[in-house]
């Protein structure tokens, strides 16, 4: 079965600011751009059309995660700005028959592919944030394709043309990654 996931990072939102993120993501959370009825986490049509939401750190306030949980289960890791937020630094999750690894800071771009492969050798997708730069590349080793994805920032574009998130389509042997610019 195919599963869809929404990936966000670097929201940097304080207490009371979670509604700003939800407003920005509403078109995705309410059906993934009109793709209502996609299988949710329980195999039935989900409210959000996504099986899960991944947050790759720099959440800043835990209420951001609570707001996202209204739409789908949330998996999150600790970012360097997440003071007082209790989250793991790294996780691995199975979704749609695929293994997803996630951490906040992937380190310098030089050697990133080999470094992420060492940290998450069996992962099909590795998610990270920190730079606010949307990124998708694949790394192939011994026939195993690993996708490396930074969704960019949903709230702080910095030098990028737009704020962005990523949408994953997950099925064994068939992984799709779309970087979505937010209006």
């Amino acid at each position: 079965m195919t599963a869809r996931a929404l990936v966000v990072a670097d929201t940097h939102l304080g207490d009371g600011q979670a509604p700003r993120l939800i407003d920005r993501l509403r078109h995705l959370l309410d059906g993934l751009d009109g793709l209502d009825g996609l299988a949710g986490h329980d195999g039935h049509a989900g409210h959000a059309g996504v099986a899960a939401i991944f947050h790759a750190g720099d959440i800043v306030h835990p209420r951001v995660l609570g707001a996202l949980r209204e739409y789908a289960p949330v998996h999150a890791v600790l970012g360097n700005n997440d003071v007082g937020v209790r989250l793991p630094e790294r996780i691995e999750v199975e979704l749609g028959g695929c293994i997803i690894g996630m951490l906040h800071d992937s380190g310098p771009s030089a050697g990133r592919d080999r470094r992420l492969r060492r940290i998450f050798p069996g992962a099909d997708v590795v998610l990270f944030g920190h730079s606010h730069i949307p990124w998708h590349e694949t790394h192939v080793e011994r026939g195993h394709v690993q996708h490396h994805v930074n969704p960019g920032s949903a709230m702080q574009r910095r030098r990028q043309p737009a704020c962005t998130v990523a949408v994953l389509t997950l099925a064994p042997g068939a992984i799709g990654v779309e970087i979505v610019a937010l209006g």
Side-chain angles (χ1 to χ4, degrees):
M1 177 192 323
T2 300
R4 289 195 187 254
L6 177 63
V7 185
V8 298
D10 298 289
T11 50
H12 294 275
L13 294 172
D15 190 15
Q17 294 182 330
R20 290 179 50 217
L21 175 64
I22 298 305
D23 287 346
R24 185 163 284 181
L25 299 177
R26 178 120 13 240
H27 67 289
L28 296 169
L29 294 171
D30 284 343
L32 232 58
D33 280 336
L35 298 176
D36 300 80
L38 294 172
H41 66 279
D42 59 2
H44 298 93
H47 170 70
V50 294
I53 299 170
F54 290 87
H55 197 306
D58 278 359
I59 298 143
V60 179
H61 199 281
R63 287 199 178 135
V64 170
L65 299 179
L68 291 171
R69 282 189 191 103
E70 296 291 320
Y71 294 88
V74 174
H75 305 282
V77 293
L78 189 69
N80 59 298
N81 288 295
D82 292 328
V83 179
V85 179
R86 300 187 74 168
L87 292 168
E89 290 184 15
R90 298 177 183 166
I91 62 170
E92 281 193 35
V93 175
E94 187 278 328
L95 182 65
C98 301
I99 303 296
I100 296 104
M102 185 168 59
L103 73 165
H104 179 63
D105 186 355
S106 67
S109 58
R112 179 186 290 141
D113 54 352
R114 292 180 305 282
R115 187 171 44 257
L116 292 178
R117 177 69 76 165
R118 273 194 314 274
I119 296 169
F120 298 105
D124 300 300
V125 179
V126 179
L127 306 172
F128 58 96
H130 190 59
S131 70
H132 295 227
I133 300 170
W135 181 263
H136 174 226
E137 69 178 3
T138 56
H139 180 255
V140 181
E141 186 174 288
R142 296 186 187 117
H144 180 249
V145 177
Q146 189 175 74
H147 295 261
H148 300 158
V149 180
N150 183 332
S153 174
M155 300 303 293
Q156 294 182 353
R157 67 179 180 88
R158 291 189 180 166
R159 289 180 225 92
Q160 301 307 305
C163 290
T164 55
V165 297
V167 175
L168 305 179
T169 305
L170 304 164
I175 296 170
V177 177
E178 180 184 2
I179 302 292
V180 178
L182 302 172

